[in-house]
Amino acid sequence: MNAEHKTKSLAAKAAWPLLVLTAALQVYVGLSSVAYVFMGVANPASGLGGWTTAAMGGLQSLAAVAAFVLAARRDLRGTTLAVAGSIVLGWLSTLPSVVEQGLDFHGDDRVTPVYFVVSPLFAIAAATLAWRNVYPIAAALFVSAMTFVGILIVAAFAIIIAMYGF
């Protein structure tokens, strides 16, 4: 094992798997947005909004696939920028339904509006850090933060269900 691998921090080791997982989830979400139009599933927005969602979903998937290519080349900065772009495109795909139906910040589901606001802010902040190449590992972890939080929530839910049942 060479000296470079011995000196890598835990954050540097965690950045790549989280980026790849985030890119994989972005491909899945993007392709499912494209499928809405063709599968007869109730569109998140009607008319032009449904097609806008599909177009943004396709672009989101392309950006996430570009992240895979850049990850295979071990380009941390490029991968972070591609994942951030994919997240912002995914956020843009939700705008037609938000314009049509509104966003309820005082309803029962308090997580969705927070996710709607925080996710693009994290992506833009991570893209800025990656673009400037100041803290590339922090940028990679920052762009993957919402995915990591989602993983923790699913793990906590699974543990609670395993302990107490439904």
Side-chain angles (χ1 to χ4, degrees):
M1 190 178 238
N2 62 16
E4 179 184 333
H5 291 302
K6 288 181 183 178
T7 60
K8 281 191 174 179
S9 67
L10 179 63
K13 291 177 185 176
W16 284 109
L18 283 173
L19 274 174
V20 170
L21 180 62
T22 304
L25 291 173
Q26 292 298 314
V27 168
Y28 171 76
V29 171
L31 289 177
S32 67
S33 295
V34 171
Y36 281 143
V37 176
F38 301 107
M39 291 177 44
V41 177
N43 290 333
S46 60
L48 185 60
W51 288 101
T52 303
T53 299
M56 287 296 130
L59 292 173
Q60 176 184 7
S61 296
L62 287 176
V65 168
F68 280 124
V69 172
L70 291 166
R73 295 179 57 204
R74 303 297 286 179
D75 180 7
L76 184 63
R77 179 181 180 211
T79 305
T80 303
L81 286 168
V83 169
S86 178
I87 290 171
V88 170
L89 286 168
W91 177 77
L92 287 173
S93 73
T94 63
L95 288 181
S97 64
V98 170
V99 168
E100 188 175 300
Q101 300 169 8
L103 191 61
D104 186 13
F105 284 98
H106 303 290
D108 293 333
D109 184 19
R110 297 194 196 305
V111 175
T112 302
V114 170
Y115 182 80
F116 182 79
V117 172
V118 170
S119 182
L121 291 178
F122 275 27
I124 291 168
T128 303
L129 284 173
W131 184 263
R132 293 184 178 181
N133 208 17
V134 181
Y135 301 107
I137 294 171
L141 293 174
F142 210 55
V143 80
S144 303
M146 297 304 284
T147 301
F148 184 68
V149 168
I151 291 169
L152 290 179
I153 289 171
V154 169
F157 180 73
I159 290 169
I160 289 170
I161 294 302
M163 289 174 58
Y164 301 109
F166 269 110

CSV table of all heavy atoms in Angstrom, one decimal, residues 73-125:
chain,number,residue,atom,x,y,z
A,73,ARG,N,-13.0,8.1,-14.2
A,73,ARG,CA,-11.7,8.7,-14.5
A,73,ARG,C,-11.1,9.3,-13.2
A,73,ARG,O,-10.0,9.9,-13.3
A,73,ARG,CB,-11.9,9.8,-15.5
A,73,ARG,CG,-12.4,9.3,-16.9
A,73,ARG,CD,-12.6,10.4,-17.9
A,73,ARG,NE,-11.4,11.2,-18.0
A,73,ARG,CZ,-11.4,12.4,-18.4
A,73,ARG,NH1,-12.5,13.0,-18.7
A,73,ARG,NH2,-10.2,13.1,-18.6
A,74,ARG,N,-11.7,9.1,-12.1
A,74,ARG,CA,-11.3,9.6,-10.8
A,74,ARG,C,-11.1,11.1,-10.8
A,74,ARG,O,-10.2,11.7,-10.1
A,74,ARG,CB,-10.0,8.9,-10.4
A,74,ARG,CG,-10.0,7.4,-10.3
A,74,ARG,CD,-10.9,6.9,-9.3
A,74,ARG,NE,-10.4,7.0,-8.0
A,74,ARG,CZ,-11.1,6.7,-6.9
A,74,ARG,NH1,-12.3,6.1,-7.0
A,74,ARG,NH2,-10.6,6.8,-5.7
A,75,ASP,N,-12.0,11.8,-11.4
A,75,ASP,CA,-12.0,13.3,-11.4
A,75,ASP,C,-13.0,13.7,-10.4
A,75,ASP,O,-14.2,13.8,-10.7
A,75,ASP,CB,-12.4,13.8,-12.8
A,75,ASP,CG,-12.5,15.3,-13.0
A,75,ASP,OD1,-12.1,16.0,-12.0
A,75,ASP,OD2,-12.9,15.8,-14.0
A,76,LEU,N,-12.6,14.0,-9.2
A,76,LEU,CA,-13.5,14.4,-8.1
A,76,LEU,C,-14.2,15.7,-8.4
A,76,LEU,O,-15.4,15.8,-8.1
A,76,LEU,CB,-12.7,14.5,-6.8
A,76,LEU,CG,-13.5,14.8,-5.5
A,76,LEU,CD1,-14.4,13.6,-5.2
A,76,LEU,CD2,-12.5,15.0,-4.3
A,77,ARG,N,-13.5,16.7,-8.9
A,77,ARG,CA,-14.1,18.0,-9.2
A,77,ARG,C,-15.2,17.9,-10.2
A,77,ARG,O,-16.3,18.4,-10.0
A,77,ARG,CB,-13.0,19.0,-9.6
A,77,ARG,CG,-13.5,20.3,-10.0
A,77,ARG,CD,-12.4,21.2,-10.4
A,77,ARG,NE,-12.9,22.5,-10.7
A,77,ARG,CZ,-12.3,23.3,-11.7
A,77,ARG,NH1,-11.3,22.9,-12.4
A,77,ARG,NH2,-12.8,24.5,-11.9
A,78,GLY,N,-14.9,17.2,-11.3
A,78,GLY,CA,-15.9,17.0,-12.4
A,78,GLY,C,-17.1,16.2,-11.9
A,78,GLY,O,-18.2,16.5,-12.3
A,79,THR,N,-16.8,15.1,-11.2
A,79,THR,CA,-17.9,14.3,-10.7
A,79,THR,C,-18.8,15.1,-9.7
A,79,THR,O,-20.1,15.0,-9.8
A,79,THR,CB,-17.4,13.1,-9.9
A,79,THR,OG1,-16.5,12.4,-10.7
A,79,THR,CG2,-18.5,12.2,-9.4
A,80,THR,N,-18.2,15.9,-8.9
A,80,THR,CA,-19.0,16.7,-8.0
A,80,THR,C,-19.9,17.7,-8.7
A,80,THR,O,-21.1,17.9,-8.5
A,80,THR,CB,-18.1,17.5,-7.0
A,80,THR,OG1,-17.3,16.5,-6.3
A,80,THR,CG2,-18.9,18.3,-6.0
A,81,LEU,N,-19.3,18.4,-9.8
A,81,LEU,CA,-20.0,19.3,-10.6
A,81,LEU,C,-21.2,18.7,-11.3
A,81,LEU,O,-22.3,19.2,-11.4
A,81,LEU,CB,-19.1,20.0,-11.5
A,81,LEU,CG,-18.2,21.1,-10.9
A,81,LEU,CD1,-17.1,21.5,-11.9
A,81,LEU,CD2,-19.0,22.3,-10.5
A,82,ALA,N,-20.9,17.5,-11.9
A,82,ALA,CA,-22.0,16.7,-12.6
A,82,ALA,C,-23.1,16.3,-11.7
A,82,ALA,O,-24.3,16.4,-12.1
A,82,ALA,CB,-21.4,15.5,-13.3
A,83,VAL,N,-22.8,15.8,-10.5
A,83,VAL,CA,-23.8,15.4,-9.5
A,83,VAL,C,-24.6,16.7,-9.1
A,83,VAL,O,-25.8,16.6,-9.0
A,83,VAL,CB,-23.2,14.7,-8.3
A,83,VAL,CG1,-24.2,14.5,-7.2
A,83,VAL,CG2,-22.7,13.3,-8.8
A,84,ALA,N,-23.9,17.8,-8.8
A,84,ALA,CA,-24.6,19.0,-8.4
A,84,ALA,C,-25.6,19.5,-9.6
A,84,ALA,O,-26.7,19.9,-9.3
A,84,ALA,CB,-23.6,20.1,-8.1
A,85,GLY,N,-25.1,19.4,-10.8
A,85,GLY,CA,-25.9,19.8,-11.9
A,85,GLY,C,-27.1,18.8,-12.0
A,85,GLY,O,-28.3,19.3,-12.3
A,86,SER,N,-26.9,17.6,-11.8
A,86,SER,CA,-28.0,16.6,-11.8
A,86,SER,C,-29.1,16.9,-10.8
A,86,SER,O,-30.3,16.8,-11.0
A,86,SER,CB,-27.5,15.2,-11.7
A,86,SER,OG,-28.5,14.3,-11.7
A,87,ILE,N,-28.6,17.3,-9.6
A,87,ILE,CA,-29.5,17.6,-8.5
A,87,ILE,C,-30.3,18.9,-8.8
A,87,ILE,O,-31.6,18.9,-8.6
A,87,ILE,CB,-28.8,17.8,-7.2
A,87,ILE,CG1,-28.3,16.4,-6.7
A,87,ILE,CG2,-29.6,18.4,-6.1
A,87,ILE,CD1,-27.3,16.5,-5.5
A,88,VAL,N,-29.7,19.9,-9.4
A,88,VAL,CA,-30.4,21.1,-9.7
A,88,VAL,C,-31.4,20.8,-10.9
A,88,VAL,O,-32.5,21.4,-10.8
A,88,VAL,CB,-29.4,22.2,-10.1
A,88,VAL,CG1,-30.1,23.4,-10.7
A,88,VAL,CG2,-28.6,22.7,-8.9
A,89,LEU,N,-31.0,20.0,-11.8
A,89,LEU,CA,-32.0,19.7,-12.9
A,89,LEU,C,-33.2,18.9,-12.3
A,89,LEU,O,-34.3,19.1,-12.8
A,89,LEU,CB,-31.3,18.8,-14.0
A,89,LEU,CG,-30.4,19.6,-14.9
A,89,LEU,CD1,-29.5,18.7,-15.7
A,89,LEU,CD2,-31.2,20.6,-15.8
A,90,GLY,N,-32.9,18.0,-11.4
A,90,GLY,CA,-34.0,17.3,-10.7
A,90,GLY,C,-34.9,18.3,-10.0
A,90,GLY,O,-36.1,18.1,-9.9
A,91,TRP,N,-34.3,19.3,-9.3
A,91,TRP,CA,-35.1,20.3,-8.6
A,91,TRP,C,-36.0,21.1,-9.7
A,91,TRP,O,-37.1,21.4,-9.4
A,91,TRP,CB,-34.2,21.2,-7.9
A,91,TRP,CG,-34.9,22.3,-7.2
A,91,TRP,CD1,-35.6,22.3,-6.0
A,91,TRP,CD2,-34.9,23.7,-7.6
A,91,TRP,NE1,-36.1,23.5,-5.7
A,91,TRP,CE2,-35.7,24.4,-6.7
A,91,TRP,CE3,-34.4,24.4,-8.7
A,91,TRP,CZ2,-35.9,25.8,-6.8
A,91,TRP,CZ3,-34.6,25.7,-8.8
A,91,TRP,CH2,-35.3,26.4,-7.8
A,92,LEU,N,-35.3,21.4,-10.8
A,92,LEU,CA,-36.1,22.1,-11.8
A,92,LEU,C,-37.3,21.3,-12.4
A,92,LEU,O,-38.3,21.9,-12.8
A,92,LEU,CB,-35.1,22.5,-13.0
A,92,LEU,CG,-34.2,23.7,-12.7
A,92,LEU,CD1,-33.2,23.8,-13.8
A,92,LEU,CD2,-34.9,25.0,-12.4
A,93,SER,N,-37.1,20.0,-12.4
A,93,SER,CA,-38.2,19.2,-12.9
A,93,SER,C,-39.4,19.2,-11.9
A,93,SER,O,-40.5,18.9,-12.3
A,93,SER,CB,-37.8,17.7,-13.1
A,93,SER,OG,-37.6,17.1,-11.9
A,94,THR,N,-39.2,19.6,-10.7
A,94,THR,CA,-40.4,19.7,-9.8
A,94,THR,C,-41.1,21.0,-9.8
A,94,THR,O,-42.2,21.2,-9.3
A,94,THR,CB,-39.9,19.5,-8.3
A,94,THR,OG1,-39.0,20.5,-7.9
A,94,THR,CG2,-39.3,18.1,-8.1
A,95,LEU,N,-40.5,22.0,-10.4
A,95,LEU,CA,-41.1,23.3,-10.5
A,95,LEU,C,-42.5,23.4,-11.1
A,95,LEU,O,-43.3,24.2,-10.6
A,95,LEU,CB,-40.1,24.3,-11.1
A,95,LEU,CG,-38.9,24.7,-10.3
A,95,LEU,CD1,-38.0,25.7,-11.0
A,95,LEU,CD2,-39.3,25.2,-8.9
A,96,PRO,N,-42.7,22.7,-12.3
A,96,PRO,CA,-44.1,22.8,-12.8
A,96,PRO,C,-45.2,22.4,-11.9
A,96,PRO,O,-46.2,23.0,-11.8
A,96,PRO,CB,-44.0,21.9,-14.0
A,96,PRO,CG,-42.6,21.9,-14.4
A,96,PRO,CD,-41.8,22.0,-13.1
A,97,SER,N,-44.9,21.3,-11.1
A,97,SER,CA,-46.0,20.9,-10.2
A,97,SER,C,-46.1,21.8,-9.0
A,97,SER,O,-47.2,22.0,-8.4
A,97,SER,CB,-45.7,19.5,-9.7
A,97,SER,OG,-44.5,19.4,-9.0
A,98,VAL,N,-45.0,22.4,-8.6
A,98,VAL,CA,-45.0,23.4,-7.5
A,98,VAL,C,-45.8,24.6,-7.9
A,98,VAL,O,-46.6,25.2,-7.2
A,98,VAL,CB,-43.6,23.7,-7.0
A,98,VAL,CG1,-43.6,24.9,-6.0
A,98,VAL,CG2,-43.0,22.5,-6.3
A,99,VAL,N,-45.6,25.1,-9.2
A,99,VAL,CA,-46.3,26.2,-9.7
A,99,VAL,C,-47.8,25.9,-9.7
A,99,VAL,O,-48.6,26.8,-9.4
A,99,VAL,CB,-45.7,26.7,-11.0
A,99,VAL,CG1,-46.6,27.7,-11.7
A,99,VAL,CG2,-44.3,27.2,-10.9
A,100,GLU,N,-48.1,24.7,-10.2
A,100,GLU,CA,-49.5,24.4,-10.3
A,100,GLU,C,-50.2,24.1,-9.0
A,100,GLU,O,-51.3,24.5,-8.8
A,100,GLU,CB,-49.6,23.1,-11.2
A,100,GLU,CG,-51.0,22.8,-11.6
A,100,GLU,CD,-51.0,21.6,-12.6
A,100,GLU,OE1,-50.5,21.8,-13.7
A,100,GLU,OE2,-51.6,20.6,-12.3
A,101,GLN,N,-49.5,23.4,-8.1
A,101,GLN,CA,-50.2,23.0,-6.9
A,101,GLN,C,-49.8,23.7,-5.6
A,101,GLN,O,-50.4,23.6,-4.6
A,101,GLN,CB,-49.9,21.5,-6.6
A,101,GLN,CG,-50.4,20.6,-7.8
A,101,GLN,CD,-49.9,19.2,-7.7
A,101,GLN,OE1,-49.2,18.8,-6.7
A,101,GLN,NE2,-50.1,18.4,-8.7
A,102,GLY,N,-48.7,24.5,-5.7
A,102,GLY,CA,-48.2,25.2,-4.6
A,102,GLY,C,-47.3,24.3,-3.7
A,102,GLY,O,-47.2,23.1,-3.8
A,103,LEU,N,-46.7,25.0,-2.7
A,103,LEU,CA,-45.8,24.3,-1.8
A,103,LEU,C,-46.3,24.7,-0.4
A,103,LEU,O,-46.2,25.9,0.0
A,103,LEU,CB,-44.4,24.7,-2.0
A,103,LEU,CG,-43.3,23.9,-1.3
A,103,LEU,CD1,-43.3,22.5,-1.7
A,103,LEU,CD2,-41.9,24.5,-1.6
A,104,ASP,N,-46.8,23.7,0.4
A,104,ASP,CA,-47.4,24.0,1.7
A,104,ASP,C,-46.3,23.8,2.7
A,104,ASP,O,-45.9,22.7,3.1
A,104,ASP,CB,-48.5,23.0,1.9
A,104,ASP,CG,-49.3,23.3,3.2
A,104,ASP,OD1,-49.1,24.4,3.8
A,104,ASP,OD2,-50.1,22.4,3.6
A,105,PHE,N,-45.9,25.0,3.3
A,105,PHE,CA,-44.9,24.9,4.4
A,105,PHE,C,-45.5,24.7,5.8
A,105,PHE,O,-44.8,24.5,6.7
A,105,PHE,CB,-44.1,26.2,4.4
A,105,PHE,CG,-43.1,26.3,3.3
A,105,PHE,CD1,-43.3,27.0,2.2
A,105,PHE,CD2,-41.8,25.7,3.5
A,105,PHE,CE1,-42.4,27.1,1.2
A,105,PHE,CE2,-40.9,25.8,2.5
A,105,PHE,CZ,-41.2,26.5,1.3
A,106,HIS,N,-46.8,24.7,5.8
A,106,HIS,CA,-47.5,24.6,7.1
A,106,HIS,C,-48.4,23.3,7.2
A,106,HIS,O,-49.1,23.2,8.1
A,106,HIS,CB,-48.4,25.8,7.4
A,106,HIS,CG,-47.6,27.1,7.4
A,106,HIS,ND1,-46.7,27.4,8.3
A,106,HIS,CD2,-47.6,28.1,6.5
A,106,HIS,CE1,-46.2,28.6,8.0
A,106,HIS,NE2,-46.7,29.0,6.9
A,107,GLY,N,-48.2,22.4,6.2
A,107,GLY,CA,-49.0,21.2,6.2
A,107,GLY,C,-48.4,20.1,7.1
A,107,GLY,O,-47.5,20.3,7.9
A,108,ASP,N,-48.9,18.9,6.9
A,108,ASP,CA,-48.5,17.8,7.7
A,108,ASP,C,-47.1,17.3,7.4
A,108,ASP,O,-46.4,16.8,8.2
A,108,ASP,CB,-49.5,16.6,7.6
A,108,ASP,CG,-50.9,16.9,8.2
A,108,ASP,OD1,-50.9,17.7,9.1
A,108,ASP,OD2,-51.9,16.4,7.7
A,109,ASP,N,-46.8,17.4,6.1
A,109,ASP,CA,-45.5,16.9,5.6
A,109,ASP,C,-44.5,18.0,5.6
A,109,ASP,O,-44.4,18.8,4.7
A,109,ASP,CB,-45.6,16.3,4.2
A,109,ASP,CG,-44.3,15.7,3.7
A,109,ASP,OD1,-43.4,15.4,4.6
A,109,ASP,OD2,-44.2,15.5,2.5
A,110,ARG,N,-43.7,18.1,6.7
A,110,ARG,CA,-42.8,19.3,6.8
A,110,ARG,C,-41.4,19.0,6.1
A,110,ARG,O,-40.6,19.8,6.0
A,110,ARG,CB,-42.6,19.6,8.2
A,110,ARG,CG,-43.8,20.1,8.9
A,110,ARG,CD,-43.5,20.7,10.3
A,110,ARG,NE,-44.6,20.9,11.2
A,110,ARG,CZ,-45.8,21.5,11.0
A,110,ARG,NH1,-46.0,22.0,9.8
A,110,ARG,NH2,-46.7,21.6,11.9
A,111,VAL,N,-41.2,17.7,5.8
A,111,VAL,CA,-39.9,17.3,5.2
A,111,VAL,C,-39.8,17.8,3.7
A,111,VAL,O,-38.7,18.3,3.3
A,111,VAL,CB,-39.7,15.8,5.3
A,111,VAL,CG1,-38.4,15.4,4.6
A,111,VAL,CG2,-39.7,15.4,6.8
A,112,THR,N,-40.8,17.6,3.0
A,112,THR,CA,-40.8,17.9,1.5
A,112,THR,C,-40.4,19.4,1.3
A,112,THR,O,-39.6,19.7,0.4
A,112,THR,CB,-42.1,17.5,0.9
A,112,THR,OG1,-42.3,16.1,1.1
A,112,THR,CG2,-42.1,17.8,-0.6
A,113,PRO,N,-41.1,20.4,1.9
A,113,PRO,CA,-40.7,21.8,1.6
A,113,PRO,C,-39.2,22.0,2.0
A,113,PRO,O,-38.5,22.8,1.3
A,113,PRO,CB,-41.6,22.6,2.5
A,113,PRO,CG,-42.8,21.7,2.7
A,113,PRO,CD,-42.3,20.3,2.8
A,114,VAL,N,-38.8,21.4,3.1
A,114,VAL,CA,-37.4,21.7,3.6
A,114,VAL,C,-36.5,21.1,2.5
A,114,VAL,O,-35.5,21.7,2.1
A,114,VAL,CB,-37.1,21.0,5.0
A,114,VAL,CG1,-35.7,21.0,5.3
A,114,VAL,CG2,-37.9,21.8,6.0
A,115,TYR,N,-36.8,19.8,2.1
A,115,TYR,CA,-36.0,19.2,1.0
A,115,TYR,C,-36.0,20.0,-0.3
A,115,TYR,O,-35.0,20.2,-0.9
A,115,TYR,CB,-36.5,17.8,0.7
A,115,TYR,CG,-35.7,17.1,-0.3
A,115,TYR,CD1,-34.5,16.5,0.1
A,115,TYR,CD2,-36.1,17.0,-1.6
A,115,TYR,CE1,-33.7,15.8,-0.9
A,115,TYR,CE2,-35.4,16.3,-2.5
A,115,TYR,CZ,-34.2,15.7,-2.2
A,115,TYR,OH,-33.4,15.1,-3.1
A,116,PHE,N,-37.1,20.6,-0.6
A,116,PHE,CA,-37.3,21.4,-1.8
A,116,PHE,C,-36.4,22.7,-1.7
A,116,PHE,O,-35.9,23.1,-2.8
A,116,PHE,CB,-38.8,21.8,-2.0
A,116,PHE,CG,-39.0,22.6,-3.2
A,116,PHE,CD1,-39.1,22.0,-4.4
A,116,PHE,CD2,-39.1,24.0,-3.2
A,116,PHE,CE1,-39.3,22.7,-5.6
A,116,PHE,CE2,-39.4,24.7,-4.3
A,116,PHE,CZ,-39.5,24.1,-5.5
A,117,VAL,N,-36.2,23.2,-0.6
A,117,VAL,CA,-35.4,24.4,-0.4
A,117,VAL,C,-33.9,24.1,-0.2
A,117,VAL,O,-33.0,24.7,-0.8
A,117,VAL,CB,-35.9,25.3,0.7
A,117,VAL,CG1,-35.0,26.5,1.0
A,117,VAL,CG2,-37.3,25.8,0.4
A,118,VAL,N,-33.6,23.1,0.6
A,118,VAL,CA,-32.3,22.8,1.0
A,118,VAL,C,-31.5,22.1,-0.1
A,118,VAL,O,-30.3,22.4,-0.3
A,118,VAL,CB,-32.2,22.0,2.3
A,118,VAL,CG1,-30.9,21.5,2.6
A,118,VAL,CG2,-32.8,22.8,3.5
A,119,SER,N,-32.1,21.2,-0.8
A,119,SER,CA,-31.4,20.4,-1.8
A,119,SER,C,-30.7,21.2,-2.9
A,119,SER,O,-29.5,21.0,-3.1
A,119,SER,CB,-32.3,19.4,-2.4
A,119,SER,OG,-31.7,18.6,-3.3
A,120,PRO,N,-31.4,22.2,-3.5
A,120,PRO,CA,-30.6,23.0,-4.5
A,120,PRO,C,-29.6,23.9,-3.9
A,120,PRO,O,-28.6,24.2,-4.5
A,120,PRO,CB,-31.7,23.8,-5.2
A,120,PRO,CG,-32.9,23.8,-4.3
A,120,PRO,CD,-32.8,22.5,-3.5
A,121,LEU,N,-29.9,24.4,-2.7
A,121,LEU,CA,-28.9,25.2,-2.1
A,121,LEU,C,-27.6,24.5,-1.8
A,121,LEU,O,-26.5,25.0,-2.0
A,121,LEU,CB,-29.4,25.8,-0.8
A,121,LEU,CG,-30.5,26.8,-0.9
A,121,LEU,CD1,-31.0,27.3,0.4
A,121,LEU,CD2,-30.1,28.0,-1.7
A,122,PHE,N,-27.7,23.2,-1.3
A,122,PHE,CA,-26.5,22.4,-1.1
A,122,PHE,C,-25.8,22.1,-2.4
A,122,PHE,O,-24.6,22.1,-2.4
A,122,PHE,CB,-26.9,21.1,-0.4
A,122,PHE,CG,-27.0,21.1,1.1
A,122,PHE,CD1,-27.3,22.3,1.8
A,122,PHE,CD2,-26.8,20.0,1.9
A,122,PHE,CE1,-27.4,22.3,3.1
A,122,PHE,CE2,-26.9,20.0,3.2
A,122,PHE,CZ,-27.2,21.2,3.9
A,123,ALA,N,-26.6,21.8,-3.4
A,123,ALA,CA,-26.0,21.5,-4.7
A,123,ALA,C,-25.2,22.7,-5.3
A,123,ALA,O,-24.1,22.6,-5.8
A,123,ALA,CB,-27.0,21.1,-5.7
A,124,ILE,N,-25.8,23.9,-5.2
A,124,ILE,CA,-25.2,25.1,-5.7
A,124,ILE,C,-23.9,25.4,-4.8
A,124,ILE,O,-22.9,25.8,-5.4
A,124,ILE,CB,-26.1,26.3,-5.7
A,124,ILE,CG1,-27.2,26.0,-6.7
A,124,ILE,CG2,-25.4,27.6,-5.9
A,124,ILE,CD1,-28.4,27.0,-6.7
A,125,ALA,N,-24.0,25.3,-3.5
A,125,ALA,CA,-22.8,25.5,-2.7
A,125,ALA,C,-21.7,24.5,-3.0
A,125,ALA,O,-20.5,24.9,-3.1
A,125,ALA,CB,-23.2,25.4,-1.2
